[in-house]
Amino acid sequence: MCSIVEDDFGDEGGAHAMKEDTPQPELGGNELCRKCNTEQAVLKLNQKEPQCRVCFLNYVRHKFRASLGSTKIVRRGSRVLIILTGEPANVTLLDMVRFGLEQDAFKQLRIVPVLLYVDDDFVGNTPEARLRQLAERLQVFKQFESFPAYYTVCGSSRHVALTFDGAFSPAGFEQDEARLLQVLDAVRSVSSKQDLLEQVRKQTYRQIGHALQCAYVFLSDIGVDLAKTLLSNVALGRGCSLAQDVAFCDDRDDTVKLVRPIRDLNPDEVSNYLQYSEQPLLSYSPAKHFEDKPSLQNLTAKFIDNLMQSFPSTVSTVYRTGDKLDAPKAARNGPTVGDGTSERQDESEDFLALFDRTLTLDDRPSGECCRFCGAALDYRGSKTLFATEYSRLVSSRINAACSHEDILLKSKQMELDAERAVNGEDDQGEERVLMKQLCHGCRNIFEDLN
C-alpha cells in the first residue's frame, strides 16, 4: 500500500511532488550533430541530442512513416483523403506525404492522396472576413497544388473541385451554411456549440470521403491536440468514444476510417520542421471558433497549454492514457455484405436533419451505435447516469415540508423515473425514439437546444 498520507503534502497539496522540467542546456556555437558526427548541429530538442538539419528531418519523417508502417492499417495503393487546414501541423503532414511520394521505389509512400478543405469560416464571420481568410488559406494550399483538391462546407454532402488560380469562390453552398448556422444559434451553451461543430465536421469528413471513394482520412492532430480532446471529452460525457477520439485510427465507421499519422509529434518538432525543411513552407494559424468565450473545451485547452510550458513531458502522458482505454465496437444496423461487415446505413443520410425534424426515425433495437456520432450507445444500465438523474429528481421533488412517509413513497417513484430517463423512455413520441438512439454526449447537445 502507498505510505504517503495527506499530512505529507501540507497546505500546498501535491504541488511540490510535481517538479518542473529542467531547462536543457543551449546549443553550443560549433557543436557537431551527435547523429552523423559530420555536420554542424542547428537545433537541440528537449531531452534530445544536438542534431543537424538533415538528421532532424529524417528523425521527424521517420516518426510519420513508422506510425503508418507499424500499425499496417493503411493499405498500399489506397486513396487517402487529407484534410486541409493550413495550420503548421497540417502543412507538416502534407510536406511529409509529398516527400514520401518523391522517394525511390523502395522508400516510396504508396498511397493516392486527395485533398479536401472543409470551410467553416462562415460561422461567426462577416462575408468580407471570410473571403479574406479563404484567400490567405489558398496561398498556403497552393504549395501542394500538384495534388487533386476539393472544397466543401461544414455540414454539406456536396463537394466541388478546388482551384488555386485566385478565381475560386465559395458559392453554391448557401443553403447548407444557413442550416448549420440555424442549428448553432439554437444551441444555448458554448460547450455544446463547439462539440456540435466538431461532430458535424467529422461527419462531413466521412461523407465526402465516401463520395470520393477514399477509405482513409488523414487528420493532422498532434499530441497536444489529442490531450485537449481527451480531457474535454471526459468533461463532455463522451467516455464511450474516448479511446477512438485520440487513437491512431478511429474505425467506428468501417467504410471510412479517420487516421492520425503525426500524433506522436509535438509543437516544437512541428515548428522546427517548417523552419528547416528543404523549401520554405507557409502556414496559417487563424483563431478558432468561440475561442474567446467560456466553455469546457476552452478551459481545458488553456490548462493543457499552461501544462505544456512547465511540464511538456506530462502532456504526452495525458493523451497516451487513451491508448490504454477500451473502445467498445458498436454493432451497426443493417444487412451485412459478403465479408461479414455491415453496409453503410444510408450513403446520403442528412445528419443535420436530426435537428430540424425532417429525418424519419425508426425505433431501432438497443445495443447499436449513436445515430449522430457513431459511438457505441452507453446509457443502458449506466449506474453513473442513474445516480446523476436520481440526484436531480431528489433536488426537484423533495423539500423540508415532506414527511417521512412521503419521502419513502416518492423515492420508489423517483427510482423508476430516473431509470426511464436514463434509458430514454420518459418522453413520448418522436423525442423518446430519438433519445434512445443517441449516446450520452450527443444527448447533452440535443437537451441544450432551445
Side-chain angles (χ1 to χ4, degrees):
M1 295 179 62
C2 180
S3 60
I4 298 178
V5 295
E6 281 188 31
D7 294 338
D8 295 332
F9 291 103
D11 296 333
E12 297 180 357
H16 69 278
M18 192 173 181
K19 299 179 180 179
E20 292 192 29
D21 288 359
T22 305
Q24 298 296 308
E26 296 183 0
L27 185 66
N30 297 319
E31 195 167 355
L32 290 179
C33 172
R34 299 292 179 86
K35 183 73 174 178
C36 62
N37 290 320
T38 56
E39 298 294 332
Q40 183 175 351
V42 297
L43 79 160
K44 185 179 185 302
L45 298 174
N46 189 32
Q47 306 294 336
K48 297 292 182 181
E49 298 291 344
Q51 293 176 305
C52 65
R53 185 185 65 84
V54 176
C55 291
F56 166 72
L57 293 177
N58 291 336
Y59 160 74
V60 178
R61 286 165 178 162
H62 176 72
K63 274 190 170 184
F64 165 66
R65 296 297 297 269
S67 65
L68 293 177
S70 61
T71 56
K72 298 182 180 179
I73 292 177
V74 181
R75 298 179 180 178
R76 287 189 174 188
S78 300
R79 285 174 59 87
V80 175
L81 187 67
I82 305 178
I83 303 301
L84 286 171
T85 63
E87 297 179 357
N90 183 244
V91 175
T92 300
L93 172 62
L94 290 168
D95 188 71
M96 288 181 179
V97 171
R98 179 173 58 186
F99 180 83
L101 294 174
E102 294 173 352
Q103 298 303 295
D104 53 28
F106 180 71
K107 296 183 179 180
Q108 190 177 32
L109 183 63
R110 301 184 182 277
I111 61 173
V112 181
V114 179
L115 309 186
L116 174 68
Y117 172 49
V118 179
D119 187 5
D120 57 3
D121 288 336
F122 59 89
V123 178
N125 269 337
T126 61
E128 295 78 12
R130 177 192 179 186
L131 292 176
R132 183 172 62 254
Q133 291 184 3
L134 178 60
E136 295 177 358
R137 289 183 190 270
L138 290 178
Q139 290 298 319
V140 177
F141 300 160
K142 194 175 182 180
Q143 301 172 108
F144 310 99
E145 59 183 349
S146 59
F147 299 145
Y150 296 90
Y151 172 91
T152 187
V153 299
C154 190
S156 177
S157 59
R158 299 180 298 111
H159 61 277
V160 296
L162 180 62
T163 57
F164 306 102
D165 54 4
F168 180 79
S169 176
F173 295 90
E174 290 80 6
Q175 185 177 358
D176 297 319
E177 296 171 7
R179 289 190 66 200
L180 181 58
L181 289 175
Q182 182 180 4
V183 172
L184 287 175
D185 291 340
V187 179
R188 289 188 289 265
S189 69
V190 179
S191 299
S192 295
K193 289 178 186 287
Q194 289 179 299
D195 191 19
L196 170 64
L197 194 60
E198 178 65 22
Q199 299 306 322
V200 173
R201 192 182 291 117
K202 289 182 179 179
Q203 293 282 6
T204 306
Y205 297 161
R206 294 188 176 97
Q207 205 162 47
I208 302 301
H210 190 269
L212 293 174
Q213 298 179 348
C214 296
Y216 308 95
V217 177
F218 276 9
L219 305 179
S220 53
D221 296 331
I222 60 176
V224 64
D225 300 324
L226 298 180
K228 296 175 182 178
T229 299
L230 187 144
L231 294 184
S232 297
N233 285 5
V234 169
L236 293 170
R238 294 195 172 275
C240 63
S241 62
L242 199 60
Q244 294 169 321
D245 289 331
V246 299
F248 175 82
C249 177
D250 184 348
D251 59 351
R252 72 185 74 182
D253 188 342
D254 294 328
T255 58
V256 180
K257 300 178 180 179
L258 305 184
V259 181
R260 304 175 179 91
I262 59 172
R263 65 193 294 262
D264 293 329
L265 300 186
N266 58 51
D268 195 20
E269 292 170 340
V270 170
S271 61
N272 282 293
Y273 186 92
L274 298 181
Q275 180 180 356
Y276 294 109
S277 60
E278 289 85 356
Q279 53 185 338
L281 294 175
L282 302 176
S283 62
Y284 180 63
S285 301
K288 296 184 179 180
H289 299 298
F290 313 108
E291 192 175 32
D292 56 338
K293 298 181 179 179
S295 70
L296 292 173
Q297 293 92 327
N298 293 342
L299 185 63
T300 303
K302 185 178 180 180
F303 168 75
I304 292 295
D305 289 336
N306 293 335
L307 194 65
M308 193 70 186
Q309 296 296 324
S310 303
F311 310 98
S313 58
T314 310
V315 175
S316 62
T317 305
V318 172
Y319 88 85
R320 289 189 183 280
T321 305
D323 297 338
K324 301 177 177 64
L325 302 177
D326 183 30
K329 189 69 174 178
R332 290 187 171 270
N333 190 31
T336 58
V337 293
D339 59 356
T341 59
S342 57
E343 292 181 347
R344 190 179 180 89
Q345 291 177 5
D346 187 355
E347 297 180 5
S348 61
E349 181 175 271
D350 184 6
F351 39 86
L352 282 181
L354 288 170
F355 294 90
D356 53 21
R357 298 178 180 275
T358 59
L359 181 68
T360 302
L361 297 173
D362 54 338
D363 197 355
R364 297 189 290 179
S366 61
E368 297 186 6
C369 60
C370 174
R371 190 68 177 262
F372 189 50
C373 71
L377 295 180
D378 58 347
Y379 59 83
R380 190 168 296 279
S382 173
K383 296 181 180 179
T384 303
L385 297 180
F386 173 81
T388 302
E389 182 63 24
Y390 184 79
S391 177
R392 187 188 67 82
L393 293 177
V394 169
S395 300
S396 60
R397 298 182 185 182
I398 303 298
N399 52 53
C402 295
S403 63
H404 180 69
E405 291 76 12
D406 292 339
I407 294 177
L408 292 178
L409 184 62
K410 290 183 178 181
S411 296
K412 296 180 180 180
Q413 184 61 39
M414 285 188 296
E415 289 182 4
L416 297 176
D417 293 344
E419 184 176 358
R420 284 198 296 267
V422 169
N423 295 332
E425 299 172 352
D426 57 337
D427 299 314
Q428 299 297 325
E430 189 172 342
E431 185 175 357
R432 177 186 65 82
V433 176
L434 174 60
M435 289 301 175
K436 291 177 66 176
Q437 299 180 14
L438 298 177
C439 65
H440 177 62
C442 292
R443 278 187 181 184
N444 292 336
I445 297 179
F446 280 81
E447 290 175 353
D448 207 16
L449 289 171
N450 285 325

